[in-house]
Amino acid sequence: MRQSSSSAAAVATAPDYSERLGLPWWAWPAGLALAGLLAAELWMGATGVRAWLPFVLLIPAAAATLWWLGRIRVTVHAGELRVDDAHLPVRYVADAVPLDAAGRREVLGVGTDPLAFVVQRPWVGGAVQVVLNDPDDPTPFWVVSSRRPVELAAALLAARDAA
């Protein structure tokens, strides 16, 4: 049995790890309800343009803001860690440490290095600290939020070892 070239290419290009740091489901109804309440406060029985303009502007703006907050993607693919538009070749990864919420708080606490690259989402409990080994880069480590920090750390280390 022979596999078609398109399915073989799809298997070859599949990322080692992929995750979207989306908002929890309850943030959508809460955010849209808050926008509706604010629009109703601005309307307050007015006529004309003030009757419909707050609803037309605020509710789509709230939806766009909620989408924007949950747009970040974290992937390990083709020898790179990509976090939104930032990318790090895995050859510079010295270690990847999965962190729970308490560990993330400790790493990002008062004594953290100000040169660290941080992509932190408060609604995501876990994170991964990626320690770098690049003498030309002043960034000592990355801290990236992840719902599956153990899997992300394992994918990073496996991609580094395979490179």
Side-chain angles (χ1 to χ4, degrees):
M1 189 155 116
R2 194 169 158 191
Q3 199 176 38
S4 72
S5 62
S6 63
S7 64
V11 170
T13 61
D16 302 328
Y17 178 88
S18 181
E19 173 181 17
R20 190 173 68 84
L21 302 178
L23 290 166
W25 69 269
W26 53 264
W28 284 89
L32 294 175
L34 188 64
L37 181 64
L38 181 59
E41 285 292 323
L42 291 173
W43 164 59
M44 293 298 288
T47 58
V49 173
R50 275 195 48 211
W52 56 267
L53 192 61
F55 296 97
V56 169
L57 294 178
L58 290 176
I59 293 174
T65 301
L66 291 167
W67 172 84
W68 182 80
L69 286 171
R71 80 190 189 293
I72 300 292
R73 279 200 139 333
V74 177
T75 59
V76 177
H77 178 62
E80 283 190 332
L81 167 63
R82 288 191 169 271
V83 181
D84 197 20
D85 59 351
H87 59 91
L88 172 71
V90 293
R91 69 178 174 268
Y92 297 122
V93 174
D95 197 11
V97 181
L99 305 169
D100 59 0
R104 185 188 69 195
R105 237 183 339 271
E106 184 178 328
V107 167
L108 297 177
V110 175
T112 193
D113 193 319
L115 296 176
F117 177 78
V118 178
V119 175
Q120 192 253 138
R121 295 294 182 249
W123 55 86
V124 178
V128 173
Q129 180 182 21
V130 181
V131 182
L132 303 183
N133 183 18
D134 183 5
D136 297 330
D137 189 357
T139 306
F141 58 87
W142 285 24
V143 177
V144 179
S145 288
S146 175
R147 288 190 172 87
R148 303 180 321 242
V150 174
E151 291 177 36
L152 175 56
L156 270 170
L157 295 175
R160 178 199 65 190
D161 294 341

